[in-house]
Amino acid sequence: MPAGYELAKRIDRSTVVEAGGARFGDGGFSLIGGPCSIEGADQMERVATAVRDAGGAMLRGGAYKPRTSPYDFQGLGDRALPLIADAAEHAGLPTVVEALAESQVPLLQTYVDMIQIGARNMQNVPLLRAAARTGMPILLKRGPAATLDELLCAAEYVLLEGNERVVLCERGIRGFDSNTRNVLDLGGALRLKELSHLPVIVDPSHASGRRSLIEPLTLAAAAAGLDGAVVEMHPEPDRSRSDAPQAIDCATFARIAAGVRSITGALRGEASRCFSVL
Ligand code: PEP
Ligand code: MN
């Protein structure tokens, strides 16, 4: 039986994906920070400044929110896009925003640097193709009950459009214990690196659902040698209009970024010691 992902499968090199100046898969650990939902200009300015000052690589924010309940905040929609674009421009950061529908792709193309395909849409083939055809980098999140092969087949749809700019994201899979929102599959994320040449990052926010776990899970991913993390943060976390329990504050984001730097620095030191022995 064919693997189903000829173009995504591991080859003798790793692909580096560049998104508005941020780089994934070059041996570093790229941190994306920003709120679950874009709520206003002041919120976005404060978060963008904090991400930039901490040395983060990219600003995130949801405009079209895929909420479980139709009664929950659905995002500001189209009018959120200039808010994130302006804040990011002032801070000098690139941006990533999720597309929920094909119709949103052209507007995203004019306002952001990277398109996110969310967990619920991982196998939405028309959306994958429409996003891929922009030629923009794609942040492809693993569905909460998707196998690694299914995720790689979804990536294959993008690659088949001639777009190799795909970053895979492990964002937690469904477990049986509601103490954490999902289960961060770190082993699965590492296995993806064995199976594919594409960069792999984690989302500890949707994986754990708890702000106390974001820092240690991000540092674990950095220590494991993965390519980055996307973290939900808010200047006033308890006031977040969505996913407040998993939102960290700006000071915690800065501490995580510093922790990541010391881990990646130590790993590089180890590697250079190994090479000098060889
Ligand atoms: C998000 O990143 O805003 C999001 C909704 O994540 P996921 O698709 O992983 O649930
Ligand atoms: Mn969220």
Side-chain angles (χ1 to χ4, degrees), residues 83-158:
L83 301 177
I84 187 169
D86 287 351
E89 195 187 327
H90 291 156
L93 289 170
T95 54
V96 56
V97 174
E98 176 174 354
L100 271 193
E102 281 175 76
S103 58
Q104 295 156 357
V105 169
L107 207 54
L108 286 170
Q109 202 173 353
T110 67
Y111 280 105
V112 308
D113 298 287
M114 187 180 210
I115 295 179
Q116 176 172 314
I117 304 293
R120 294 161 186 78
N121 270 314
M122 186 198 86
Q123 289 174 309
N124 182 336
V125 172
L127 181 59
L128 288 170
R129 287 191 172 132
R133 284 182 193 137
T134 62
M136 291 171 65
I138 307 293
L139 179 57
L140 179 60
K141 300 186 92 175
R142 179 185 185 185
T147 65
L148 301 181
D149 282 352
E150 287 164 346
L151 172 59
L152 290 169
C153 283
E156 190 81 3
Y157 278 98
V158 179

Side-chain angles (χ1 to χ4, degrees), residues 36 60 65-66 98 116 118-120 141 171 203 206 232:
C36 181
R60 67 148 280 147
K65 294 306 302 177
E98 176 174 354
Q116 176 172 314
R120 294 161 186 78
K141 300 186 92 175
R171 47 76 76 200
D203 171 350
H206 294 93
E232 288 190 347

Side-chain angles (χ1 to χ4, degrees), residues 27-101:
F29 189 86
S30 299
L31 261 186
I32 306 173
C36 181
S37 299
I38 298 162
E39 299 168 4
D42 176 65
Q43 172 223 27
M44 290 311 297
E45 290 291 338
R46 290 165 75 186
V47 169
T49 305
V51 171
R52 192 261 325 274
D53 290 352
M58 198 171 217
L59 183 65
R60 67 148 280 147
Y64 317 100
K65 294 306 302 177
R67 305 307 301 282
T68 301
S69 165
Y71 300 108
D72 288 337
F73 178 54
Q74 304 288 306
L76 296 180
D78 295 349
R79 71 190 172 91
L81 298 181
L83 301 177
I84 187 169
D86 287 351
E89 195 187 327
H90 291 156
L93 289 170
T95 54
V96 56
V97 174
E98 176 174 354
L100 271 193

Side-chain angles (χ1 to χ4, degrees), residues 189-275:
L190 290 167
R191 177 68 180 142
L192 279 174
K193 299 276 297 174
E194 293 182 343
L195 292 171
S196 175
H197 57 91
L198 298 171
V200 180
I201 71 168
V202 295
D203 171 350
S205 305
H206 294 93
S208 71
R210 287 182 179 271
R211 66 178 65 138
S212 62
L213 302 180
I214 309 305
E215 182 173 6
L217 289 175
T218 307
L219 298 185
L226 294 169
D227 299 306
V230 53
V231 170
E232 288 190 347
M233 61 192 281
H234 195 284
E236 295 166 72
D238 289 334
R239 303 181 75 152
S240 303
R241 293 188 70 182
S242 55
D243 285 348
Q246 68 198 34
I248 58 167
D249 60 21
C250 297
T252 306
F253 185 82
R255 204 172 60 227
I256 291 174
V260 163
R261 273 194 294 278
S262 53
I263 287 171
T264 51
L267 289 178
R268 267 194 218 103
E270 274 309 312
S272 59
R273 272 201 293 286
C274 292
F275 292 136

